[in-house]
Amino acid sequence: MNAPTDPSTLADPLVIAGHAYRSRLLVGTGKYRDFDETRDAIVASGAEIVTVAIRRTNIGQTAGEASLVDALPPAEFTYLPNSAGCYAADDAVRTLKLGRELLDGHALCKLEVLGDSRSLYPNVRETLVAAERLVADGFQVMVYTSDDPIVARELEAIGCVAIMPLASLIGSGMGIVNPWNLRLILEQARVPVLVDAGVGTASDATIAMELGCAGVLMNTAIAKAREPVRMARAMKLAVESGREAFLAGRMPRKLYEASPSSPSTGLI
Amino acid sequence: MLTLTLNGVVTDVDASTIAELVATLGLTGKRIAVERNGEIVPRSRYVETPLAPSDRLEIVGAVGGG
């Protein structure tokens, strides 16, 4: 189980809005075959923070039917309600207020405002408007956004607690298509930057962490792998290894110039 | 019986407060949020919040998502 850890025991915690987390891998709860697979994959991933969507309850549902909160109790995991499916600031704010209410006033949320139903690309103008309103209302906003460094800067200035630029399109598995922009964002940010959207396999997550991201958020990469639980384990290791490599400080790249690893003297 | 719109569907309900409606739907104690005519009704106010004809209600929960 990925129960919240005592922050004082963590050597390299992910700190978001003053809270320390052991896992730098955050996972979505959508697209799994069933709740058992959802739970097995998320437990295998080691994730402590999980995103959820806010939707109308199925009124015709029988009272005894299982729900997500039964499979992943909010006492065990930190829920991150999202505003998925919202195309305007008003809808996103309304959705996240409902999310906060159903989580007993929990302030952490994931803001996303989409601009196109095919690409699911974020509408950054509406995102900025929503972010301002949410921060003013006391939310701790982790904001999904494009990899535009100026927008990232503005979202941070508004008071978002984390900036989450896309690696590529939601659910596309294309990995980080623009590491250059991501680096620009990382260089200027003073809040955690987490790659969110487009991660496809373990190496994508490792690259994000090697670049200096504070964490990675993914859903489809795990849920739509052939073996989701196995991929969840791979992602846990990928994020950990990328983080270690980042902290270790990689060797410099040498273009067009080799450097032998074996001595040049004492040759027979 | 009241006629109101519940989760987008015009419905007849046998309840006069939010608390009664939630109970009728088998949702008492479940992790939900309720919005009445565009305003969130806190859980602590379910019992004292009346329902009126033509109310627009949204009852939402957390589901899987990314």
Side-chain angles (χ1 to χ4, degrees):
Chain A
M1 253 150 21
N2 312 337
T5 327
D6 175 7
S8 65
T9 67
L10 299 175
D12 176 38
L14 168 64
V15 181
I16 299 176
H19 285 247
Y21 302 89
R22 174 188 30 80
S23 172
R24 293 176 175 276
L25 173 58
L26 289 65
V27 180
T29 54
K31 291 177 159 172
Y32 292 98
R33 192 181 57 221
D34 52 39
F35 289 134
D36 283 342
E37 188 181 77
T38 309
R39 183 181 173 84
D40 289 344
I42 288 171
V43 169
S45 76
E48 294 164 281
I49 300 174
V50 298
T51 58
V52 297
I54 305 300
R55 293 287 182 270
R56 287 170 167 170
T57 55
N58 184 353
I59 296 299
Q61 191 178 39
T62 49
E65 214 170 294
S67 68
L68 182 72
V69 295
D70 299 323
L72 297 171
E76 270 180 55
F77 298 89
T78 298
Y79 269 41
L80 192 59
N82 69 25
S83 59
C86 294
Y87 287 77
D90 281 351
D91 297 327
V93 171
R94 180 183 175 212
T95 300
L96 293 174
K97 283 183 171 177
L98 284 163
R100 179 171 62 178
E101 169 61 26
L102 89 85
L103 291 171
D104 306 318
H106 180 66
L108 196 64
C109 68
K110 170 178 161 174
L111 170 64
E112 61 184 272
V113 189
L114 307 180
D116 182 79
S117 60
R118 183 167 164 257
S119 69
L120 300 183
Y121 209 83
N123 178 330
V124 297
R125 189 164 48 188
E126 288 294 301
T127 302
L128 287 159
V129 170
E132 201 146 4
R133 288 173 54 188
L134 291 163
V135 169
D137 197 43
F139 283 87
Q140 294 167 343
V141 181
M142 300 179 70
V143 57
Y144 166 68
T145 179
S146 68
D147 58 0
D148 181 328
I150 308 304
V151 174
R153 182 194 300 169
E154 292 185 0
L155 288 165
E156 182 176 330
I158 282 169
C160 294
V161 301
I163 307 299
M164 306 205 293
L166 49 78
S168 53
L169 304 185
I170 292 172
S172 71
M174 291 170 67
I176 297 171
V177 294
N178 192 341
W180 314 105
N181 276 29
L182 195 49
R183 271 195 66 167
L184 289 174
I185 294 173
L186 285 161
E187 277 168 15
Q188 73 185 8
R190 285 191 292 275
V191 294
V193 176
L194 292 83
V195 155
D196 175 16
V199 169
T201 189
S203 47
D204 297 332
T206 304
I207 289 170
M209 298 307 291
E210 285 173 351
L211 284 168
C213 287
V216 181
L217 202 165
M218 65 179 72
N219 191 155
T220 310
I222 295 176
K224 289 302 178 185
R226 196 175 57 233
E227 293 182 42
V229 176
R230 189 164 215 156
M231 184 57 86
R233 278 201 297 272
M235 289 300 185
K236 177 178 189 289
L237 294 167
V239 170
E240 286 170 2
S241 93
R243 180 63 178 174
E244 284 295 291
F246 172 74
L247 293 175
R250 63 155 296 151
M251 59 167 279
R253 273 189 184 85
K254 295 172 96 160
L255 299 181
Y256 310 113
E257 193 187 317
S259 159
S261 300
S262 307
S264 307
T265 55
L267 291 156
I268 55 172
Chain B
M1 292 289 267
L2 275 177
T3 304
L4 43 72
T5 303
L6 174 57
N7 284 0
V9 178
V10 177
T11 316
D12 289 329
V13 301
D14 188 14
S16 54
T17 65
I18 299 278
E20 284 175 18
L21 176 61
V22 167
T24 313
L25 298 170
L27 294 173
T28 306
K30 299 282 188 182
R31 199 167 274 282
I32 56 171
V34 175
E35 188 196 71
R36 175 175 176 252
N37 298 327
E39 303 222 354
I40 292 178
V41 181
R43 197 164 308 145
S44 56
R45 306 252 301 276
Y46 285 179
V47 172
E48 72 206 49
T49 304
L51 297 174
S54 303
D55 269 355
R56 283 173 297 106
L57 289 178
E58 296 283 348
I59 301 182
V60 299
V63 301

